[in-house]
Amino acid sequence: MGIRTRRTRAALSALGISIGIATMIVVTGIPASSQKALNAELTALGTDRLQAIADKDQEGNAGSFPPESVAMVKNIGPVKAVTAVANTHARVRRSDRQSPDDVSGLTVLAAQPNLLGIVNARIRSGRYLTTATERLPTAVLGSVVAARLGFPDPRPGDPAPLVLINDRWFSVIGILHSVRLAPDIDRSVLVGWQTAHRTLGFDLRPTQLFLRADEPAIEDVHAVLPATINPQSPSQVMVSRPSDALAAKRSTDATFSSLFIGLAGVALLVGGIGVANTMVISVLERRREIGLRRALGANRGQIRGQFLTESIALSGLGGLAGTILGVLGTVGYAAYKDWPPVIPLPAVTSGLAGAVVVGIAAGVYPAVRASRLSPTAALASA
């Protein structure tokens, strides 16, 4: 076959298709990696989160939700996680010598152990409430509270500082970073749900719910949330609207999808033209060989099969090499940019399959042309 006898030309031909396939994977993989990094940033802005707040009742009193509201929201299909906090209306002070009026604006919230993950909060120092510590007189401070009360970050081995909530002392076990999705937590002292019930007179009725849901269904969850949380008075449930970042995320998804299709199509077209051009030139270069084979008894079908097989083999080898190069290039660039590497599976599979299809399409005309050369004309023109 021509591939074995003309190895340099075959290598250059395969290189053309490999560059095309590698380009297709790189130009789809790098934007996909960038898109995943961007989507992670947008998701951190709360594209899959909702917050429900209890409005005041008709008498102007502070509102709250039924104690079973968290369990009811969990029954909504697209909801992945839900947590609650509640204003205990307690006062917090650094010491019993400090006037309660000096720290007005600070809130004591009863909180649950799964709060941090749902509101994307992070511990700055110490630790958060657990199923064990939430039943003890322990507290976690928001960033604003820690600054206003003058609490340093707890260090391992040091005795836990104390904070006075109403007339009870609580050990400070942790301090939070600023919470972007729930700024109210920055000005709050978080205590365990059962501890607040037992020591602060908390009635187990939440005043706020935070939830995470399937992003495509976030609008549907938003619509049913008030009636689910408080069936008796859904009008007293104020639900935050879906984040503006959600619209931006969906817009970028649509834009990137169109970009992927366009770039992949161009790359395959370029590779196909390269293979077709190489095979046409091969026919012109090998007229003597074609004429000799015809003179020795090879029929037109055998000539067509030879050139078509060579075209498919060159495209297949080039496609495999291009796939490897494209994957390595995408992973390397993503690592350089500190993005999560994404190799679109359709790009890899379509790259390999497309290389074979391109080989068939690009080899048909040269194969037919070679088979139509008569032995005398081929030998005479050589």
Side-chain angles (χ1 to χ4, degrees):
M1 291 179 62
I3 294 179
R4 291 197 301 266
T5 57
R6 295 174 174 83
R7 295 181 180 179
T8 302
R9 179 179 59 78
L12 293 175
S13 300
L15 180 61
I17 190 66
S18 68
I19 291 175
I21 299 302
T23 301
M24 183 187 73
I25 294 177
V26 167
V27 300
T28 55
I30 289 178
S33 301
S34 174
Q35 180 190 18
K36 186 172 183 179
L38 176 60
N39 283 346
E41 294 180 8
L42 293 176
T43 300
L45 299 178
T47 57
D48 59 348
R49 265 76 164 182
L50 290 174
Q51 177 182 2
I53 303 174
D55 197 5
K56 294 181 179 180
D57 59 23
Q58 297 179 351
E59 288 75 23
N61 300 320
S64 61
F65 298 142
E68 63 274 11
S69 57
V70 172
M72 295 167 66
V73 172
K74 287 181 180 178
N75 292 328
I76 302 176
V79 172
K80 295 180 178 179
V82 60
T83 191
V85 298
N87 190 344
T88 64
H89 304 287
R91 288 183 173 271
V92 56
R93 291 178 288 168
R94 178 66 186 266
S95 72
D96 53 1
R97 298 181 180 181
Q98 184 178 9
S99 170
D101 296 332
D102 292 343
V103 288
S104 59
L106 303 183
T107 307
V108 178
L109 295 180
Q112 299 178 342
N114 63 340
L115 175 67
L116 296 195
I118 297 178
V119 299
N120 283 348
R122 293 181 299 115
I123 286 287
R124 191 176 81 193
S125 60
R127 63 187 187 278
Y128 184 64
L129 302 170
T130 64
T131 52
T133 59
E134 72 162 347
R135 297 179 177 274
L136 302 175
T138 55
V140 175
L141 308 183
S143 58
V144 174
V145 172
R148 290 189 57 181
L149 295 181
F151 277 97
D153 290 346
R155 293 182 300 180
D158 290 349
L162 301 177
V163 63
L164 186 63
I165 301 177
N166 284 351
D167 58 350
R168 297 292 298 269
W169 291 100
F170 283 69
S171 299
V172 176
I173 61 173
I175 297 176
L176 300 179
H177 282 286
S178 180
V179 183
R180 189 171 185 178
L181 295 184
D184 290 346
I185 293 178
D186 294 342
R187 298 183 296 275
S188 301
V189 177
L190 306 178
V191 299
W193 200 261
Q194 294 301 324
T195 298
H197 173 61
R198 188 174 62 254
T199 63
L200 302 178
F202 168 49
D203 59 2
L204 299 178
R205 295 177 64 89
T207 56
Q208 291 186 61
L209 298 184
F210 299 94
L211 64 92
R212 187 175 73 249
D214 290 332
E215 195 172 284
I218 199 73
E219 289 89 351
D220 296 332
V221 175
H222 181 277
V224 303
L225 205 54
T228 303
I229 294 176
N230 195 348
Q232 302 300 323
S233 302
S235 60
Q236 294 182 7
V237 181
M238 298 186 298
V239 183
S240 62
R241 66 185 181 88
S243 170
D244 290 336
L246 179 59
K249 185 175 181 181
R250 290 174 176 172
S251 177
T252 58
D253 287 343
T255 301
F256 274 112
S257 297
S258 301
L259 177 66
F260 295 161
I261 295 173
L263 292 176
V266 170
L268 274 178
L269 178 61
V270 171
I273 292 174
V275 172
N277 183 59
T278 299
M279 296 309 298
V280 170
I281 294 175
S282 178
V283 171
L284 296 176
E285 290 179 345
R286 299 165 63 188
R287 285 187 176 185
R288 180 179 178 84
E289 175 190 337
I290 295 169
L292 182 59
R293 290 199 65 194
R294 290 297 307 278
L296 292 175
N299 58 37
R300 290 186 176 184
Q302 291 172 330
I303 298 298
R304 286 196 299 268
Q306 175 189 349
F307 278 85
L308 193 57
T309 301
E310 288 183 17
S311 178
I312 296 173
L314 287 175
S315 297
L317 292 173
L320 181 60
T323 299
I324 296 173
L325 290 175
V327 169
L328 292 177
T330 300
V331 171
Y333 189 82
Y336 171 74
K337 299 292 288 185
D338 198 23
W339 293 340
V342 177
I343 308 298
L345 184 59
V348 175
T349 55
S350 64
L352 292 172
V356 176
V357 172
V358 165
I360 296 173
V364 168
Y365 172 71
V368 171
R369 181 173 178 175
S371 68
R372 289 178 176 176
L373 290 174
S374 66
T376 55
L379 290 171
S381 61

